[in-house]
Amino acid sequence: MESLREYLDLDDYFDRVLGGEFSLPTSRSASNFASDLAALFTFGFGLLAELEHSSEAGISVRDQLYRRAYDFMPGHFCPFCGIDRFDPPHPRFPRHALDHYLPISRYPLFGAHLANLVPMCDRCNSSFKMDEDILRDHGEPRLCVNPHEGPTARISLLGSEPFGAGGSISIPNWSIEFVPSRPEFETWDSVFRIRLRYTESVLNAEYEAWLEQFAAWAVDARIQIVSNIDARDALGRWAQLCPELEDRGFLKRPAFEMLAAAAMRPDATGRRVTDLVRSLCEINALSECSPS
Protein backbone atom coordinates (compact mmCIF):
# COMPACT_ATOMS: atom_id res chain seq x y z
CA MET A 1 0.00 0.00 0.00
CA GLU A 2 1.36 3.38 -0.96
CA SER A 3 -1.09 5.73 0.69
CA LEU A 4 -3.65 6.08 3.41
CA ARG A 5 -6.33 6.35 0.72
CA GLU A 6 -5.52 2.84 -0.48
CA TYR A 7 -6.02 1.51 3.04
CA LEU A 8 -9.36 3.26 3.36
CA ASP A 9 -10.57 1.71 0.11
CA LEU A 10 -10.49 -1.71 1.76
CA ASP A 11 -13.93 -2.78 2.99
CA ASP A 12 -12.44 -4.47 6.06
CA TYR A 13 -9.90 -1.79 6.95
CA PHE A 14 -11.45 -1.16 10.37
CA ASP A 15 -11.47 -4.88 11.19
CA ARG A 16 -7.85 -5.24 10.09
CA VAL A 17 -6.81 -2.32 12.29
CA LEU A 18 -8.52 -3.95 15.30
CA GLY A 19 -6.85 -7.26 14.45
CA GLY A 20 -3.41 -5.65 14.60
CA GLU A 21 -2.68 -6.06 10.90
CA PHE A 22 -2.20 -2.31 10.34
CA SER A 23 -0.53 0.07 12.77
CA LEU A 24 -2.61 3.22 12.69
CA PRO A 25 -0.92 6.51 13.63
CA THR A 26 -2.76 8.55 16.25
CA SER A 27 -3.69 12.21 15.97
CA ARG A 28 -1.41 13.01 18.90
CA SER A 29 1.42 13.66 16.45
CA ALA A 30 1.68 17.38 15.90
CA SER A 31 1.02 18.17 12.25
CA ASN A 32 -1.35 20.32 10.26
CA PHE A 33 -2.60 17.23 8.43
CA ALA A 34 -3.50 15.47 11.69
CA SER A 35 -5.29 18.57 12.96
CA ASP A 36 -7.26 19.03 9.72
CA LEU A 37 -8.16 15.33 9.65
CA ALA A 38 -9.47 15.50 13.21
CA ALA A 39 -11.58 18.56 12.41
CA LEU A 40 -13.03 16.92 9.27
CA PHE A 41 -14.15 13.69 10.93
CA THR A 42 -15.34 15.42 14.10
CA PHE A 43 -17.60 17.49 11.85
CA GLY A 44 -18.70 14.30 10.09
CA PHE A 45 -19.59 12.69 13.41
CA GLY A 46 -21.78 15.66 14.27
CA LEU A 47 -23.65 15.30 11.00
CA LEU A 48 -24.68 11.75 11.91
CA ALA A 49 -26.99 13.18 14.57
CA GLU A 50 -28.62 15.48 12.01
CA LEU A 51 -28.83 13.43 8.84
CA GLU A 52 -31.97 11.33 8.57
CA HIS A 53 -31.79 7.66 7.78
CA SER A 54 -32.99 7.11 4.23
CA SER A 55 -35.52 4.39 5.05
CA GLU A 56 -37.11 5.95 8.11
CA ALA A 57 -38.12 9.60 8.03
CA GLY A 58 -37.39 11.55 11.17
CA ILE A 59 -34.81 9.07 12.49
CA SER A 60 -31.21 10.24 12.43
CA VAL A 61 -28.41 7.94 11.34
CA ARG A 62 -27.12 7.70 14.92
CA ASP A 63 -30.58 6.96 16.33
CA GLN A 64 -31.17 4.31 13.70
CA LEU A 65 -27.81 2.76 14.47
CA TYR A 66 -28.71 2.56 18.16
CA ARG A 67 -32.10 1.02 17.34
CA ARG A 68 -30.51 -1.69 15.22
CA ALA A 69 -27.93 -2.44 17.89
CA TYR A 70 -30.61 -2.59 20.62
CA ASP A 71 -32.69 -5.07 18.63
CA PHE A 72 -29.63 -7.27 18.12
CA MET A 73 -28.41 -7.33 21.76
CA PRO A 74 -29.25 -10.51 23.70
CA GLY A 75 -31.18 -9.39 26.77
CA HIS A 76 -30.43 -5.74 25.95
CA PHE A 77 -27.42 -5.73 28.26
CA CYS A 78 -24.28 -3.70 27.67
CA PRO A 79 -22.11 -5.85 25.38
CA PHE A 80 -18.94 -4.69 27.13
CA CYS A 81 -19.76 -5.54 30.74
CA GLY A 82 -23.02 -7.50 30.67
CA ILE A 83 -24.07 -5.77 33.90
CA ASP A 84 -26.13 -2.71 32.94
CA ARG A 85 -29.25 -2.95 30.81
CA PHE A 86 -30.04 -0.56 27.96
CA ASP A 87 -33.26 1.41 27.68
CA PRO A 88 -35.27 0.79 24.52
CA PRO A 89 -35.18 3.39 21.76
CA HIS A 90 -38.00 5.80 22.47
CA PRO A 91 -38.46 9.48 21.55
CA ARG A 92 -38.90 10.37 25.25
CA PHE A 93 -35.86 8.41 26.46
CA PRO A 94 -32.36 9.86 26.21
CA ARG A 95 -30.43 7.54 23.93
CA HIS A 96 -27.51 5.64 25.42
CA ALA A 97 -24.09 6.62 24.16
CA LEU A 98 -22.76 5.41 20.86
CA ASP A 99 -19.15 5.40 21.92
CA HIS A 100 -16.15 5.78 19.68
CA TYR A 101 -14.51 2.41 20.25
CA LEU A 102 -11.30 3.90 18.86
CA PRO A 103 -11.40 7.37 20.50
CA ILE A 104 -11.97 10.20 18.06
CA SER A 105 -9.39 12.25 19.95
CA ARG A 106 -6.74 9.68 19.05
CA TYR A 107 -8.08 8.13 15.83
CA PRO A 108 -10.12 10.83 14.05
CA LEU A 109 -10.01 8.76 10.87
CA PHE A 110 -12.79 6.64 12.41
CA GLY A 111 -14.70 9.58 13.91
CA ALA A 112 -17.68 9.13 11.58
CA HIS A 113 -17.12 5.45 10.76
CA LEU A 114 -20.33 3.64 11.70
CA ALA A 115 -18.57 0.41 12.69
CA ASN A 116 -16.58 2.42 15.24
CA LEU A 117 -19.76 3.70 16.93
CA VAL A 118 -20.82 1.06 19.42
CA PRO A 119 -23.51 1.16 22.15
CA MET A 120 -21.92 1.21 25.57
CA CYS A 121 -23.40 1.72 29.03
CA ASP A 122 -22.62 4.92 30.89
CA ARG A 123 -20.34 3.16 33.39
CA CYS A 124 -18.24 1.49 30.69
CA ASN A 125 -18.09 4.65 28.62
CA SER A 126 -17.64 7.44 31.15
CA SER A 127 -16.13 5.73 34.19
CA PHE A 128 -13.78 3.13 32.75
CA LYS A 129 -12.93 3.40 29.05
CA MET A 130 -13.07 7.18 28.67
CA ASP A 131 -10.26 8.20 26.28
CA GLU A 132 -8.14 5.08 26.70
CA ASP A 133 -6.32 3.79 23.65
CA ILE A 134 -7.66 0.28 22.98
CA LEU A 135 -4.92 -0.48 20.47
CA ARG A 136 -1.92 0.47 22.62
CA ASP A 137 -0.81 0.02 26.20
CA HIS A 138 1.78 2.67 27.10
CA GLY A 139 2.71 2.86 23.44
CA GLU A 140 2.98 -0.91 22.94
CA PRO A 141 0.57 -2.54 20.45
CA ARG A 142 -2.06 -4.86 21.88
CA LEU A 143 -4.90 -6.93 20.45
CA CYS A 144 -8.49 -6.04 21.22
CA VAL A 145 -11.91 -7.60 20.77
CA ASN A 146 -13.78 -6.63 17.63
CA PRO A 147 -17.18 -5.50 19.00
CA HIS A 148 -18.96 -6.75 15.88
CA GLU A 149 -17.16 -10.01 15.17
CA GLY A 150 -15.72 -11.15 18.49
CA PRO A 151 -14.18 -13.29 19.77
CA THR A 152 -16.48 -13.75 22.76
CA ALA A 153 -15.55 -15.17 26.14
CA ARG A 154 -17.30 -17.16 28.81
CA ILE A 155 -16.38 -16.92 32.47
CA SER A 156 -14.87 -19.70 34.56
CA LEU A 157 -14.65 -19.50 38.37
CA LEU A 158 -13.30 -23.03 38.86
CA GLY A 159 -10.00 -21.70 40.24
CA SER A 160 -11.73 -19.87 43.09
CA GLU A 161 -11.38 -20.85 46.73
CA PRO A 162 -14.94 -21.30 48.04
CA PHE A 163 -14.12 -20.21 51.59
CA GLY A 164 -11.79 -17.30 51.04
CA ALA A 165 -8.22 -18.51 50.62
CA GLY A 166 -8.59 -21.14 53.33
CA GLY A 167 -9.81 -18.77 56.05
CA SER A 168 -13.17 -18.50 57.74
CA ILE A 169 -14.53 -15.88 55.35
CA SER A 170 -17.79 -17.04 53.78
CA ILE A 171 -17.28 -15.10 50.54
CA PRO A 172 -15.05 -17.03 48.12
CA ASN A 173 -11.68 -15.82 46.99
CA TRP A 174 -12.70 -15.39 43.39
CA SER A 175 -10.46 -16.31 40.48
CA ILE A 176 -12.00 -15.09 37.23
CA GLU A 177 -10.69 -16.67 34.06
CA PHE A 178 -11.73 -15.96 30.49
CA VAL A 179 -12.40 -19.00 28.30
CA PRO A 180 -10.74 -19.33 25.90
CA SER A 181 -7.63 -17.57 27.16
CA ARG A 182 -6.75 -14.89 24.60
CA PRO A 183 -4.80 -11.63 24.70
CA GLU A 184 -7.86 -9.74 23.42
CA PHE A 185 -9.70 -10.57 26.63
CA GLU A 186 -6.86 -9.24 28.77
CA THR A 187 -7.19 -5.93 26.90
CA TRP A 188 -10.94 -6.02 27.59
CA ASP A 189 -10.22 -6.55 31.28
CA SER A 190 -7.59 -3.82 31.38
CA VAL A 191 -9.78 -1.21 29.71
CA PHE A 192 -13.13 -1.99 31.35
CA ARG A 193 -11.82 -3.41 34.70
CA ILE A 194 -13.95 -6.49 34.12
CA ARG A 195 -12.51 -8.76 36.82
CA LEU A 196 -12.70 -6.02 39.45
CA ARG A 197 -16.28 -5.08 38.55
CA TYR A 198 -17.48 -8.67 38.40
CA THR A 199 -15.90 -9.36 41.78
CA GLU A 200 -17.04 -6.28 43.67
CA SER A 201 -20.30 -5.34 41.94
CA VAL A 202 -21.74 -8.80 41.30
CA LEU A 203 -20.07 -11.78 42.94
CA ASN A 204 -19.41 -10.32 46.39
CA ALA A 205 -22.66 -8.37 46.35
CA GLU A 206 -24.96 -11.19 45.18
CA TYR A 207 -23.35 -14.40 46.45
CA GLU A 208 -25.28 -14.78 49.71
CA ALA A 209 -28.60 -14.08 47.98
CA TRP A 210 -27.73 -16.68 45.34
CA LEU A 211 -27.09 -19.27 48.08
CA GLU A 212 -30.48 -18.50 49.64
CA GLN A 213 -32.20 -18.93 46.26
CA PHE A 214 -30.45 -22.26 45.79
CA ALA A 215 -31.49 -23.49 49.25
CA ALA A 216 -35.12 -22.51 48.65
CA TRP A 217 -35.11 -24.46 45.39
CA ALA A 218 -33.47 -27.52 46.96
CA VAL A 219 -35.97 -27.60 49.83
CA ASP A 220 -38.90 -27.15 47.47
CA ALA A 221 -37.55 -29.98 45.29
CA ARG A 222 -37.16 -32.15 48.42
CA ILE A 223 -33.49 -32.78 47.71
CA GLN A 224 -31.69 -34.61 50.50
CA ILE A 225 -28.06 -33.67 51.14
CA VAL A 226 -26.20 -36.48 52.88
CA SER A 227 -22.94 -36.94 50.98
CA ASN A 228 -20.53 -34.86 48.94
CA ILE A 229 -22.02 -36.43 45.83
CA ASP A 230 -25.49 -35.23 46.86
CA ALA A 231 -24.13 -31.70 47.27
CA ARG A 232 -22.33 -31.82 43.93
CA ASP A 233 -25.40 -33.08 42.08
CA ALA A 234 -27.71 -30.50 43.64
CA LEU A 235 -25.32 -27.63 42.95
CA GLY A 236 -24.77 -28.83 39.40
CA ARG A 237 -28.50 -29.12 38.70
CA TRP A 238 -29.09 -25.60 40.02
CA ALA A 239 -26.25 -24.26 37.89
CA GLN A 240 -27.90 -25.64 34.78
CA LEU A 241 -31.15 -23.92 35.72
CA CYS A 242 -29.50 -20.50 35.92
CA PRO A 243 -30.31 -18.56 32.75
CA GLU A 244 -27.33 -17.03 30.97
CA LEU A 245 -28.70 -13.50 30.78
CA GLU A 246 -31.17 -12.96 33.60
CA ASP A 247 -30.03 -12.39 37.19
CA ARG A 248 -26.36 -12.23 36.18
CA GLY A 249 -26.54 -15.85 35.03
CA PHE A 250 -23.24 -15.61 33.16
CA LEU A 251 -21.60 -15.29 36.61
CA LYS A 252 -24.17 -17.06 38.76
CA ARG A 253 -23.88 -20.33 36.84
CA PRO A 254 -20.06 -20.46 37.02
CA ALA A 255 -20.26 -19.75 40.78
CA PHE A 256 -22.38 -22.86 41.36
CA GLU A 257 -20.27 -24.89 38.94
CA MET A 258 -17.30 -23.94 41.11
CA LEU A 259 -19.10 -25.04 44.29
CA ALA A 260 -20.17 -28.31 42.65
CA ALA A 261 -16.58 -29.07 41.68
CA ALA A 262 -15.30 -28.06 45.12
CA ALA A 263 -17.77 -30.43 46.83
CA MET A 264 -15.83 -33.37 45.38
CA ARG A 265 -12.44 -32.26 46.65
CA PRO A 266 -10.94 -34.94 48.91
CA ASP A 267 -9.90 -32.41 51.53
CA ALA A 268 -11.63 -30.32 54.18
CA THR A 269 -12.99 -27.98 51.52
CA GLY A 270 -15.17 -30.71 50.02
CA ARG A 271 -16.68 -31.50 53.42
CA ARG A 272 -17.22 -27.81 54.15
CA VAL A 273 -19.12 -27.30 50.90
CA THR A 274 -21.38 -30.24 51.73
CA ASP A 275 -21.92 -28.94 55.28
CA LEU A 276 -22.71 -25.50 53.87
CA VAL A 277 -25.32 -26.88 51.47
CA ARG A 278 -26.89 -29.02 54.18
CA SER A 279 -27.03 -26.11 56.63
CA LEU A 280 -28.55 -23.76 54.07
CA CYS A 281 -31.29 -26.26 53.30
CA GLU A 282 -32.02 -26.88 56.98
CA ILE A 283 -32.24 -23.17 57.73
CA ASN A 284 -34.53 -22.61 54.77
CA ALA A 285 -36.76 -25.53 55.74
CA LEU A 286 -37.07 -24.22 59.31
CA SER A 287 -37.93 -20.73 58.08
CA GLU A 288 -40.72 -22.15 55.95
CA CYS A 289 -42.15 -24.07 58.90
CA SER A 290 -42.00 -21.20 61.35
CA PRO A 291 -45.25 -19.28 61.93
CA SER A 292 -45.48 -15.89 60.24
Side-chain angles (χ1 to χ4, degrees):
M1 298 290 181
E2 296 181 357
S3 68
L4 183 61
R5 173 61 184 271
E6 289 178 302
Y7 284 119
L8 295 176
D9 284 341
L10 295 171
D11 291 336
D12 60 349
Y13 177 61
F14 179 71
D15 297 335
R16 293 167 81 170
V17 167
L18 294 184
E21 186 172 343
F22 298 149
S23 179
L24 192 68
T26 73
S27 66
R28 298 298 170 90
S29 57
S31 70
N32 290 334
F33 175 75
S35 177
D36 292 343
L37 191 68
L40 172 63
F41 285 101
T42 299
F43 174 74
F45 174 64
L47 287 180
L48 295 179
E50 301 175 12
L51 296 175
E52 293 184 0
H53 190 268
S54 58
S55 64
E56 204 164 339
I59 303 295
S60 72
V61 173
R62 281 166 65 182
D63 287 341
Q64 179 66 12
L65 184 62
Y66 176 78
R67 176 171 293 184
R68 291 174 58 190
Y70 178 86
D71 291 341
F72 180 77
M73 291 176 206
H76 308 306
F77 287 96
C78 173
F80 293 92
C81 68
I83 298 176
D84 291 345
R85 192 190 292 269
F86 284 104
D87 289 327
H90 190 279
R92 294 188 179 181
F93 288 174
R95 176 175 43 76
H96 288 272
L98 287 173
D99 180 68
H100 285 97
Y101 192 56
L102 300 182
I104 191 171
S105 60
R106 296 175 182 270
Y107 301 101
L109 186 66
F110 294 115
H113 187 65
L114 295 185
N116 191 42
L117 302 177
V118 292
M120 189 177 293
C121 73
D122 294 339
R123 292 282 286 164
C124 282
N125 185 25
S126 301
S127 300
F128 292 97
K129 177 179 174 290
M130 296 182 286
D131 191 39
E132 185 162 351
D133 190 345
I134 294 237
L135 297 178
R136 291 183 175 89
D137 181 18
H138 296 94
E140 294 297 321
R142 60 181 175 182
L143 294 178
C144 66
V145 173
N146 186 319
H148 304 285
E149 298 184 1
T152 58
R154 66 178 180 87
I155 301 298
S156 171
L157 301 173
L158 292 177
S160 306
E161 282 296 329
F163 297 101
S168 59
I169 302 174
S170 60
I171 298 294
N173 182 22
W174 301 107
S175 173
I176 300 176
E177 298 300 327
F178 305 127
V179 180
S181 178
R182 299 180 60 133
E184 295 97 322
F185 301 144
E186 296 307 319
T187 300
W188 173 48
D189 177 58
S190 175
V191 173
F192 296 101
R193 309 299 187 269
I194 293 299
R195 287 187 175 97
L196 176 63
R197 294 168 68 190
Y198 284 0
T199 297
E200 298 296 333
S201 299
V202 182
L203 293 170
N204 288 350
E206 304 293 336
Y207 182 67
E208 292 184 3
W210 290 349
L211 291 178
E212 291 175 3
Q213 293 168 8
F214 161 74
W217 165 81
V219 169
D220 187 61
R222 301 183 184 279
I223 293 174
Q224 299 296 316
I225 306 297
V226 178
S227 67
N228 291 27
I229 293 176
D230 294 333
R232 178 202 64 187
D233 291 347
L235 291 163
R237 284 177 59 189
W238 178 246
Q240 291 305 308
L241 292 173
C242 297
E244 285 284 340
L245 295 175
E246 296 301 324
D247 196 21
R248 311 292 192 261
F250 68 99
L251 290 170
K252 186 177 181 181
R253 177 180 291 186
F256 283 95
E257 290 172 345
M258 178 272 294
L259 287 173
M264 296 306 296
R265 283 169 54 170
D267 56 14
T269 297
R271 293 191 297 274
R272 289 184 69 188
V273 171
T274 299
D275 290 343
L276 172 66
V277 172
R278 185 187 299 114
S279 297
L280 287 169
C281 292
E282 290 173 353
I283 292 171
N284 187 273
L286 287 173
S287 66
E288 287 190 354
C289 294
S290 62
S292 56

